[in-house]
Amino acid sequence: LKQRNENSLTSLKALKKRAVKFRIEGEIDPNKNPYAFDPEGFCFYEDGQVFAYENSCAHNGMELDMDDADFFTSDGKYIQCKVHGAKFENMNGKCIRGPCKGKA
């Protein structure tokens, strides 16, 4: 997962693992992510920090949440791709399970 830096996300402190989706402005490379016609990201608050990532799986570029804004495993410990079940570390976006293991 590609981490995004967003400075105006401090109001997310009250969310506690609930993610908020947002649109990413700028150009997108269709060769890199053919599924991202309207690029978006998501952000969440954890351990005193706000994290923001592109809503795009490192494996095939499809949206992680299948458009329901639920990005986490049932226990909330990991970000999970709903397409094929890959799991990503919340703090750095590194894939720890699935076809994209080792990628971020």
Side-chain angles (χ1 to χ4, degrees), residues 2 4 6 19-25 38-44 51-56 63-65 69 71:
K2 288 196 176 176
R4 307 294 265 180
E6 299 292 328
V20 173
K21 292 168 79 168
F22 59 89
R23 292 177 81 51
I24 298 173
E25 293 183 14
D38 294 319
E40 65 182 20
F42 66 101
C43 53
F44 59 96
F51 296 91
Y53 295 100
E54 288 182 15
N55 183 9
S56 177
E63 287 187 352
L64 294 165
D65 66 332
F71 293 94

Side-chain angles (χ1 to χ4, degrees), residues 5-83:
N5 294 321
E6 299 292 328
N7 295 326
S8 61
L9 302 176
T10 55
S11 63
L12 290 173
K13 289 181 180 179
L15 292 177
K16 306 249 186 200
K17 296 248 189 204
R18 283 188 14 192
V20 173
K21 292 168 79 168
F22 59 89
R23 292 177 81 51
I24 298 173
E25 293 183 14
E27 303 232 355
I28 189 161
D29 182 354
N31 297 318
K32 182 179 171 195
N33 187 353
Y35 301 101
F37 298 107
D38 294 319
E40 65 182 20
F42 66 101
C43 53
F44 59 96
Y45 180 80
E46 180 172 296
D47 293 333
Q49 298 180 59
V50 175
F51 296 91
Y53 295 100
E54 288 182 15
N55 183 9
S56 177
C57 182
H59 170 235
N60 62 10
M62 294 182 73
E63 287 187 352
L64 294 165
D65 66 332
M66 303 283 291
D67 205 32
D68 69 357
D70 181 11
F71 293 94
F72 302 99
T73 55
S74 59
D75 61 9
K77 290 182 180 179
Y78 301 101
I79 298 166
Q80 184 170 24
C81 177
K82 287 191 173 178
V83 176

